[in-house]
Amino acid sequence: MYSTELGINFFGNESNKKRKLNKIEILKKNIKNLKIFLIIAGTNTSQIPGISAAGINAKSRRTTALADAEFLLEGASKDYKYKLPLLNAGVTPALISHVCSKLINIYPVIVPIGIGAKPYFNHLFVEDRNLGPSNCLTTGKSMTKERVLNLYEKGLAIGKSLKQPVLISESVPGGTTTAQAVMEAFGLKVSNLVGSSLFKAPRELRRKVVKRGLFNANFKADFDSFDVVAAVGDPFQAFSMGLLIGARLAKQLVILSGGSQMLAVILLVLEFLDENKDEFIEDVFIATTGWLVKDNSLNDLVNLINEKYDVKLLGLASPLNFKSSKYKELRDYELGHVKEGVGAGGISLLAFLDGFKNEEIVSLCQQNLEMMKGLGQIALEKDC
C-alpha cells in the first residue's frame, strides 16, 4: 500500500496523483451505467478438507455459490431456496454486495458455470449444466481443452457485445487455490502471497495441492493459457478470460472485483496477448476490500504481474469497515475473516464513490443480517 486519495487506498503501479484522481472520476461517471456480472462456478478443488472457508465442510461448499448469488439478488427473504453456508467466523460477503448494489441501483447478471444445478432466478446460460464442476486441480486435468475454449468463446462474444463498462465478480469456493496454481504454472512464486477466505491461509496445504497438480499436468514446452486452465484452472477463469478480452475489444472499462482470483485472470490474458499489453491494462482495474490489503501481499502480487509483463495495473481498495458494528459476524471482518468475495470490494467502492457513507452501509448490513438470521437463512451445523 502506498497512498490514499478520498479515503480509497491505491496499490500496485505507483501512478502519480493526477492519474489516480482521473481514474476515480472515470469510475464515478460510470457508476449508473455499469454492467455487473457475478460468475458462480464449481471446482472439486473445493472438496479438499481445509482448503476453503466458503462453508464449514465440503458438502456445504457445493451450494455456497448458489446461495451467494441468491442473496446478492434478493437479500434477506422468507422465500429463499438456498441456505447460506455456516462459516467458522464472519458472514457471506454477498451481504455487503447486496446492500451496496441496491444503494447504487444496479441489478447484477448471474453466470452459473459448473455448479450442477439450474438456478431458479434469472441467469445467463453459457454451457450445459450437466457438465458439472471442474475436476480437482490435483489431477492435472481440471477440464477438457474443448470446454475451456467453449467458455472462453462465450465470454469473448458477450464481452464484445457490451455497450457499457463492466464489473466482474465471482463466487468460486476453492478459487484461490486454482488461482495460485495458474500463477505458479507461469513461473510466479506466489505461495506466500495468495490470500484466502480463511483467517489463516492454508499455505502448506495449498503448496502441496498445487505442486501435485502441476506435476500431473506435465506441461509441454509450448503450453499456453488455455492449456493451464484446462490442467489446473476452473470454469470461472476460462469464461472471464474471454469476457475481459471481449470487453476491452469493445473499448469498455473493466473492474475486476476481487483479489488473487482476478489477478490470475489478468495473468492468463497477458500471457495470451502478443502485444499492446500496457494499452490493454490502461482501463482495467482491480478493486477489492480494505481487509484484503491490510498486509502487502496483494500489492506484491500486483507488482509481480506489473514487472513480469511491463504493465501499469492499478488496484483500489474500498474504505468500508465494520469497526462500529454491534454484530460479531461483521466485526470478524476486521480480524481478518472472510475478507472478500461476491464483488464486495468493488461494489462497496462504487457505493462510496456514489456518496454513501460508511455508517449507512454498516447500518443496512446489520439490518439485513438481523433479518437473515431471523428467517433461518444461514445454515446451522445440523443442516450441513
Side-chain angles (χ1 to χ4, degrees):
M1 200 70 54
Y2 73 94
S3 68
T4 302
E5 300 290 349
L6 305 177
I8 297 166
N9 284 318
F10 286 78
F11 57 97
N13 176 252
E14 295 193 14
S15 307
N16 59 37
K17 183 175 179 178
K18 184 177 178 181
R19 180 174 182 251
K20 288 181 292 187
L21 291 174
N22 181 51
K23 296 297 184 188
I24 289 174
E25 285 306 312
I26 292 170
L27 292 177
K28 275 186 174 182
K29 287 177 184 175
N30 285 288
I31 288 171
K32 303 299 184 186
N33 190 35
L34 271 170
K35 174 81 83 174
I36 295 181
F37 289 95
L38 172 67
I39 299 149
I40 58 174
T43 164
N44 281 332
T45 304
S46 72
Q47 300 302 289
I48 298 171
I51 208 73
S52 171
I56 202 164
N57 57 33
K59 180 184 174 185
S60 68
R61 289 194 287 273
R62 288 197 180 278
T63 56
T64 294
L66 280 165
D68 279 344
E70 180 184 50
F71 196 89
L72 173 62
L73 295 178
E74 307 297 339
S77 169
K78 62 181 176 57
D79 298 320
Y80 70 85
K81 181 175 179 181
Y82 307 107
K83 283 208 174 197
L84 290 157
L86 177 68
L87 308 181
N88 286 316
V91 67
T92 174
L95 171 62
I96 298 167
S97 299
H98 168 74
V99 163
C100 294
S101 64
K102 293 299 180 188
L103 286 173
I104 61 177
N105 197 29
I106 292 181
Y107 196 83
V109 176
I110 310 299
V111 186
I113 313 173
I115 57 170
K118 180 182 178 182
Y120 72 89
F121 44 76
N122 287 340
H123 60 278
L124 197 58
F125 179 81
V126 296
E127 73 164 8
D128 183 353
R129 67 177 180 273
N130 292 323
L131 287 171
S134 58
N135 298 324
C136 181
L137 75 84
T138 55
T139 62
K141 297 179 178 66
S142 287
M143 292 173 282
T144 64
K145 195 166 181 181
E146 179 186 18
R147 183 180 184 185
V148 171
L149 290 170
N150 284 340
L151 285 170
Y152 167 79
E153 292 291 345
K154 284 284 175 61
L156 183 68
I158 292 166
K160 286 167 72 174
S161 72
L162 290 170
K163 302 291 191 292
Q164 69 227 85
V166 60
L167 182 147
I168 301 172
S169 60
E170 57 71 32
S171 177
V172 187
T176 53
T177 305
T178 52
Q180 178 174 325
V182 161
M183 289 189 270
E184 296 206 357
F186 286 109
L188 290 183
K189 304 301 181 187
V190 299
S191 63
N192 289 320
L193 298 177
V194 173
S196 172
S197 53
L198 287 156
F199 176 68
K200 186 177 181 182
R203 300 204 188 281
E204 189 54 39
L205 172 60
R206 276 204 310 226
R207 198 174 284 119
K208 290 176 181 176
V209 167
V210 169
K211 183 178 180 181
R212 184 176 168 193
L214 293 176
F215 176 80
N216 287 333
N218 193 24
F219 292 118
K220 295 176 181 176
D222 59 347
F223 70 89
D224 61 19
S225 294
F226 300 116
D227 295 321
V228 170
V229 177
V232 295
D234 60 53
F236 157 75
Q237 295 165 348
F239 178 80
S240 298
M241 266 187 75
L243 186 59
L244 173 56
I245 291 174
R248 292 298 295 121
L249 287 173
K251 306 295 183 187
Q252 298 302 333
L253 173 145
V254 181
I255 303 168
L256 293 163
S257 185
S260 55
Q261 294 185 62
M262 296 301 171
L263 289 176
V265 172
I266 287 176
L267 181 146
L268 287 163
V269 168
L270 291 173
E271 280 288 339
F272 177 73
L273 296 175
D274 288 329
E275 55 188 16
N276 300 326
K277 295 181 182 184
D278 198 38
E279 182 182 336
F280 180 93
I281 286 294
E282 180 61 28
D283 282 326
V284 176
F285 304 84
I286 288 286
T288 193
T289 64
W291 303 299
L292 201 57
V293 294
K294 277 193 171 177
D295 64 23
N296 267 330
S297 298
L298 192 62
N299 183 53
D300 291 344
L301 267 178
V302 172
N303 283 330
L304 277 178
I305 289 173
N306 282 338
E307 290 164 15
K308 182 175 174 68
Y309 300 102
D310 193 24
V311 294
K312 298 182 180 69
L313 180 63
L314 186 65
L316 299 85
S318 168
L320 178 63
N321 72 80
F322 288 131
K323 292 173 185 175
S324 64
S325 177
K326 60 185 178 182
Y327 288 110
K328 178 184 179 298
E329 292 95 331
L330 298 179
R331 294 196 310 275
D332 280 343
Y333 276 83
E334 298 300 323
L335 300 176
H337 297 283
V338 188
K339 305 181 193 71
E340 170 64 285
V342 200
I347 300 174
S348 64
L349 176 66
L350 294 175
F352 276 96
L353 291 177
D354 204 28
F356 294 97
K357 305 297 184 188
N358 195 75
E359 54 267 29
E360 294 175 85
I361 299 172
V362 173
S363 177
L364 287 169
C365 285
Q366 290 183 158
Q367 289 174 35
N368 274 267
L369 180 59
E370 288 167 3
M371 288 189 285
M372 62 203 279
K373 289 167 76 173
L375 292 166
Q377 205 165 351
I378 303 174
L380 302 174
E381 279 198 64
K382 62 182 175 61
D383 300 319
C384 298

